[in-house]
Amino acid sequence: DDSQEDERYLKDEDEVLISKKKFRLMNRPTIAELKNKVERADLVEAHDVTSSDPEFLLYLKALPGTVPVPRHWGRKRKYLQGKRGIEKAPFQLPDFIAKTGISDVRSALDEDESKQNAKQKNRSRVAPKMGALDVDYRTLHDAFFKHQNKASIQDKL
């Protein structure tokens, strides 16, 4: 079997031996050839030619009910980590929550925290005081169950 295998890697009649890697690269189909061979040319991608059996791969891709692999699975970067330069608008509280006055209470707390020195901040981190963010529960209930309108929720989605 080894002699037959060696014969496959001969180049022309010059008896020059080629490595398996070079032989595979030489016999790799081009994207255009693959698109001509298969029924659904729209499924052919640039990396399909590097598979061990590209025609079978494209046959599997063309089967009904086959879901394409998401493009980010083959990338080195984590999903959505390449969007560093895109500025995102700051989050805006919906009107029905903003009317409760919770943003004023939070800004007052943030202001108090900014006045603390490092020792006080660490102490509050280790032993936090609960109940500092006091908003009337009736107001919150009314905001979410009476004044909330469905149109504003669907706009955010």
Side-chain angles (χ1 to χ4, degrees):
D1 281 342
D2 288 337
S3 61
Q4 290 175 349
E5 195 173 312
D6 287 343
E7 287 175 21
R8 276 196 289 171
Y9 303 112
L10 294 178
K11 185 178 183 183
D12 300 330
E13 289 81 35
D14 298 342
E15 300 288 326
V16 178
L17 209 59
I18 305 172
S19 67
K20 284 185 182 181
K21 188 175 183 180
K22 283 186 180 178
F23 183 77
R24 266 189 266 130
L25 285 173
M26 285 172 40
N27 290 335
R28 181 182 289 174
T30 63
I31 297 172
E33 288 172 2
L34 268 182
K35 285 187 177 188
N36 287 334
K37 285 182 184 177
V38 295
E39 292 175 26
R40 297 208 32 209
D42 58 318
L43 296 175
V44 178
E45 294 174 346
H47 54 82
D48 289 343
V49 295
T50 61
S51 89
S52 57
D53 192 357
E55 291 173 32
F56 181 64
L57 172 69
L58 290 165
Y59 165 76
L60 290 176
K61 279 184 171 185
L63 288 175
T66 305
V67 179
V69 176
R71 294 198 178 281
H72 69 274
W73 283 13
R75 297 205 176 116
K76 298 276 187 211
R77 279 187 187 222
K78 297 269 186 211
Y79 182 58
L80 295 179
Q81 292 302 308
K83 293 192 167 190
R84 284 193 190 139
I86 299 171
E87 293 252 349
K88 192 175 167 186
F91 178 73
Q92 183 121 18
L93 278 175
D95 292 334
F96 62 93
I97 296 175
K99 287 177 185 174
T100 61
I102 194 161
S103 56
D104 300 331
V105 175
R106 288 202 54 187
S107 63
L109 277 174
D110 289 342
E111 195 175 299
D112 290 342
E113 190 176 301
S114 66
K115 290 178 184 175
Q116 292 178 343
N117 60 25
K119 191 174 184 180
Q120 289 172 323
K121 284 182 185 176
N122 286 334
R123 188 179 297 137
S124 66
R125 209 174 280 134
V126 172
K129 292 182 180 174
M130 301 312 238
L133 194 66
D134 237 3
V135 177
D136 183 30
Y137 287 106
R138 186 88 215 140
T139 312
L140 283 175
H141 179 273
D142 292 348
F144 282 99
F145 294 102
K146 286 186 181 177
H147 305 302
Q148 180 179 7
N149 51 353
K150 294 200 176 175
S152 67
I153 295 170
Q154 290 173 348
D155 289 343
K156 301 290 182 196
L157 301 175

